[in-house]
Each structure stands twice: as structure tokens, then as C-alpha cells.
Amino acid sequence: LVVQPRPDLGLAEERAVELDLHRGHCGAARAIAGTEVTADIALRGDYDTWKRIVRGELDPVGAVTMGKLKLVR
């Protein structure tokens, strides 16, 4: 899960949360720099989109289909 920079909020560089997922369970999560992402595929979006998803105001699948989140390698 990658968040694009937002300097006006103090987020000068891309940040990410890397999840260790296996069979529907999250074994671990860690906050990392966007340049440290090792996942084969990541979801990348802006701060406002991620905030709406966390608040339950936007469905993540809907965000992908609307182009608000991008699947990237």
C-alpha cells in the first residue's frame, strides 16, 4: 500500500505499508519508504484516497476501478 507524497501535510516522500498476507490472514505489517517496497504488486494512491478508504467512505475495489488506486509492479 503506497501513499504518494503530500508535502503540505509533512509527507515529503512516498511512504508504504508492506503486509505479509497468507490465506486471508495478515502475519505482519511494517511502515517503510516507498523505495523499499519488495512486493511483486502494490496499490499506489494519493493521501486523500487512502484516507477515504480507511474511514470506510470509499471501497478499495471501487477505487481501483475508478482509477483512484493503481496496481503497479
Side-chain angles (χ1 to χ4, degrees):
L1 311 173
V2 182
V3 181
Q4 297 167 340
R6 180 84 189 263
D8 61 315
L9 294 177
L11 187 61
E13 298 178 5
E14 195 171 70
R15 298 294 297 166
V17 175
E18 195 163 71
L19 305 173
D20 177 14
L21 302 173
H22 183 69
R23 295 186 178 189
H25 298 294
C26 181
R30 65 186 186 116
I32 57 175
T35 57
E36 296 177 29
V37 173
T38 62
D40 294 333
I41 298 174
L43 286 170
R44 177 172 275 119
D46 64 32
Y47 176 86
D48 293 324
T49 298
W50 283 117
K51 185 166 101 174
R52 290 183 61 211
I53 290 170
V54 169
R55 288 183 171 178
E57 300 168 358
L58 180 63
D59 175 62
V61 174
V64 171
T65 60
M66 291 186 295
K68 303 244 180 225
L69 289 180
K70 305 280 187 210
L71 285 169
V72 294
R73 290 186 176 254

